[in-house]
Amino acid sequence: MRLKLPILVLFSALVFQTQAIDFTVTNLYQDTIEQTIDEELWILTTLADTAGTYNNDLFILSEGTLLLNGTYEGNIWGAGGQDVVVGGHCKRNVRLAGKNLRVDGVINGNTMIAAETVNTGTNAYLGGDVLI
């Protein structure tokens, strides 16, 4: 009987913590600039085009192209099978992997990149430490 109560409390705590995470598996993940996502988001997709506001961490894996054109308050962990393009405003740390990576937007935090080719646009801003 004494063991059941701590296990029940631990299980309840884990259940309540995972409610703030959203898991999405789809062929095309696309949102609009008007959308705001408050919970931590995990996405597995074929193509991704994000343009909304993400108030928590984003974990995203795209088989093809990954477009990050939104506003990101949390950390980003992302990988694209082909092109990864950062055109939005990333306020925290960014970790990205892909065949071709281009930064045209703003990254205020630290940046880690693993790619065959990396390009930065004339309006790109990398504010923290950069590891390529």
Side-chain angles (χ1 to χ4, degrees):
M1 180 73 171
R2 289 184 186 200
L3 185 58
K4 289 182 182 179
L5 183 60
I7 291 174
L8 182 61
V9 170
L10 178 63
F11 180 73
S12 298
L14 291 173
V15 168
F16 287 117
Q17 286 181 342
T18 59
Q19 288 180 350
I21 299 174
D22 187 17
F23 296 93
T24 302
V25 178
T26 183
N27 286 330
L28 172 65
Y29 181 82
Q30 188 173 27
D31 62 16
T32 64
I33 197 166
E34 295 87 17
Q35 289 181 284
T36 299
I37 294 92
D38 291 321
E39 62 273 348
E40 181 177 298
L41 189 58
W42 292 65
I43 302 169
L44 177 60
T45 185
T46 304
L47 295 172
D49 184 1
T50 62
T53 300
Y54 293 79
N55 291 327
N56 211 320
D57 293 346
L58 173 63
F59 298 83
I60 187 164
L61 177 61
S62 175
E63 183 181 342
T65 301
L66 171 57
L67 302 174
L68 299 167
N69 293 315
T71 301
Y72 309 92
E73 300 287 341
N75 297 311
I76 299 175
W77 297 76
Q82 289 296 315
D83 299 324
V84 177
V85 179
V86 179
H89 187 177
C90 309
K91 297 183 179 180
R92 299 217 33 211
N93 301 317
V94 175
R95 294 158 189 93
L96 298 170
K99 186 173 180 179
N100 305 304
L101 193 131
R102 180 169 181 82
V103 178
D104 288 320
V106 174
I107 300 174
N108 292 113
N110 299 324
T111 306
M112 292 178 65
I113 296 172
E116 287 183 21
T117 61
V118 177
N119 293 298
T120 56
T122 56
N123 294 325
Y125 174 79
L126 301 170
D129 294 332
V130 178
L131 176 62
I132 299 176

